[in-house]
Amino acid sequence: MSDNILEVSHLKKYFKTQRGMVHAVDDVSFSIERGKTLGIVGESGCGKSTIGRVILQLIKPTSGSVRFDGQEIAGLSGWKMRSMRKEMQMIFQDPFSSIDPRRTVNQIIGEPLKVHGIKKNRVEREERVLELMETVGLAERLINAYPHELDGGRRQRVGIACALAVEPRFIVCDEPVSALDVSIQAQILNLLKHLQRQIGLTYIFITHDLSVVNHFSDDIAVMYLGQVVEITSAQELFDRPLHPYTQALLSAIPIPEIGRKRQRIILNGEISSPIDPPDQCRFAKRCLYATDECRAHCPSLREVSPGHQVACWRV
């Protein structure tokens, strides 16, 4: 059995518009070891959430391969993909819009059990719901509460319980704490880490918060306009960022210490359009080190040191 639970190869997702094809995800490749977390970071609109949805086949890829536990799932029909839903789940960004406001906590968490035929008996289903509520730290008294009666942290715990209901091995966390207060963020992150150690879950953790992703992830992939421009371990990325875009992102992290300042790298220039982009580095128009080679051809990811891949002609 391979150490990698997920292998993504040359994944592409284009959207047709009146102006042309939007290259939301363009030739992305990576793999994730079992029980590990891959963080995906980048600016809004870089395609990181689209990757999560394409991997789970919530939207179909334009081309490319997605292998889960050795099985090709890209392009599977809805019926064949349904059995895979038990293995792969998603925690969405907004806990209020991702759960049904007209249903109680009991009905919301019990729905996946009912759909997948895991607990057909109503009494058994309610017992399992109570177990899941305890697992994610929800009080039993909330079992008949509606989403509008809960705060953001509790609503997100309901979403996590839904994802855990079918006992998956892999979960895509799409900015699961960005809509929450800082104190609640820490609780949810600690809960996800605890569940990973306890159950052996594998995560993709999508976020724009570099401080959070450093704390939570084993490896980090940095995205820019639909492409992965750097991927390595979290420690290596923060100790030795190589891509100019990664360096600029890290320079924007505030230092919580009076009198200390990080030297900011200010990016100027125009952001390239993701609609039918030319064969050149997507970051070239904003890069301080761009050369004619950067404007002539788009660099591909290559390994510059063990486990450290960068897409940059300069590196």
Side-chain angles (χ1 to χ4, degrees):
M1 184 181 291
S2 171
D3 290 336
N4 296 328
I5 193 170
L6 184 77
E7 295 176 344
V8 176
S9 300
H10 305 291
L11 188 64
K12 297 182 181 182
K13 179 58 185 177
Y14 300 164
F15 294 98
K16 188 175 182 179
T17 69
Q18 292 181 344
R19 295 174 55 196
M21 299 296 288
V22 175
H23 291 216
V25 177
D26 204 357
D27 200 22
V28 168
S29 300
F30 59 80
S31 60
I32 311 175
E33 290 185 32
R34 300 173 193 277
K36 300 290 187 180
T37 301
L38 173 68
I40 301 180
V41 299
E43 295 172 284
S44 296
C46 70
K48 53 189 187 295
S49 292
T50 304
I51 281 183
R53 284 165 168 76
V54 171
I55 287 172
L56 295 183
Q57 304 297 295
L58 298 180
I59 51 179
K60 295 297 181 182
T62 301
S63 65
S65 169
V66 179
R67 298 184 69 84
F68 180 78
D69 211 11
Q71 180 181 352
E72 180 62 55
I73 62 172
L76 282 182
S77 65
W79 181 252
K80 291 182 179 179
M81 189 63 202
R82 183 170 179 171
S83 62
M84 297 297 296
R85 299 288 181 210
K86 294 181 182 179
E87 307 288 342
M88 313 167 74
Q89 287 289 307
M90 189 166 192
I91 300 170
F92 294 91
Q93 177 178 355
D94 184 358
F96 196 72
S97 63
S98 63
I99 55 181
D100 192 337
R102 299 165 296 180
R103 297 192 171 204
T104 64
V105 170
N106 185 21
Q107 293 170 327
I108 293 167
I109 300 176
E111 182 71 10
L113 300 172
K114 188 176 180 180
V115 167
H116 290 282
I118 297 173
K119 300 287 183 181
K120 297 181 181 180
N121 182 285
R122 185 180 62 83
V123 175
E124 291 180 353
R125 205 156 50 235
E126 189 165 313
E127 287 176 357
R128 177 59 177 154
V129 168
L130 288 171
E131 288 177 13
L132 289 163
M133 289 177 67
E134 183 180 358
T135 299
V136 300
L138 282 170
E140 185 178 331
R141 61 183 172 81
L142 299 173
I143 190 167
N144 291 316
Y146 286 88
H148 71 271
E149 299 175 306
L150 307 176
D151 60 27
R154 287 191 177 96
R155 282 197 293 265
Q156 192 61 290
R157 289 172 190 268
V158 172
I160 294 171
C162 283
L164 294 174
V166 293
E167 300 182 358
R169 291 181 291 155
F170 171 70
I171 298 179
V172 174
C173 306
D174 186 9
E175 303 206 37
V177 296
S178 63
L180 306 177
D181 293 336
V182 174
S183 59
I184 307 298
Q185 285 185 13
Q187 294 176 21
I188 298 299
L189 290 172
N190 290 334
L191 170 63
L192 291 171
K193 267 296 183 188
H194 171 71
L195 292 171
Q196 186 174 44
R197 290 191 296 266
Q198 187 179 49
I199 309 173
L201 291 170
T202 304
Y203 294 132
I204 281 182
F205 191 82
I206 297 167
T207 183
H208 58 268
D209 191 328
L210 281 159
S211 299
V212 168
V213 82
N214 183 34
H215 163 75
F216 195 80
S217 303
D218 298 293
D219 300 307
I220 299 175
V222 180
M223 286 195 68
Y224 186 80
L225 283 181
Q227 296 181 326
V228 173
V229 296
E230 186 164 4
I231 184 168
T232 185
S233 68
Q235 182 175 350
E236 172 78 2
L237 188 82
F238 276 74
D239 290 346
R240 198 168 70 99
L242 297 179
H243 197 280
Y245 177 63
T246 307
Q247 293 168 358
L249 283 181
L250 294 180
S251 77
I253 301 175
I255 299 176
E257 188 175 326
I258 297 174
R260 281 193 65 196
K261 289 186 178 180
R262 196 188 304 269
Q263 185 175 355
R264 285 292 309 276
I265 299 174
I266 306 299
L267 296 177
N268 298 311
E270 178 186 353
I271 299 176
S272 300
S273 172
I275 299 175
D276 296 323
D279 181 20
Q280 64 177 22
C281 176
R282 306 276 171 91
F283 188 61
K285 293 182 179 179
R286 303 173 73 190
C287 185
L288 300 171
Y289 313 104
T291 64
D292 290 340
E293 187 175 23
C294 303
R295 300 180 186 93
H297 300 289
C298 183
S300 57
L301 272 178
R302 59 189 178 90
E303 193 169 59
V304 295
S305 63
H308 197 156
Q309 298 180 67
V310 186
C312 180
W313 292 120
R314 172 174 172 263
V315 175

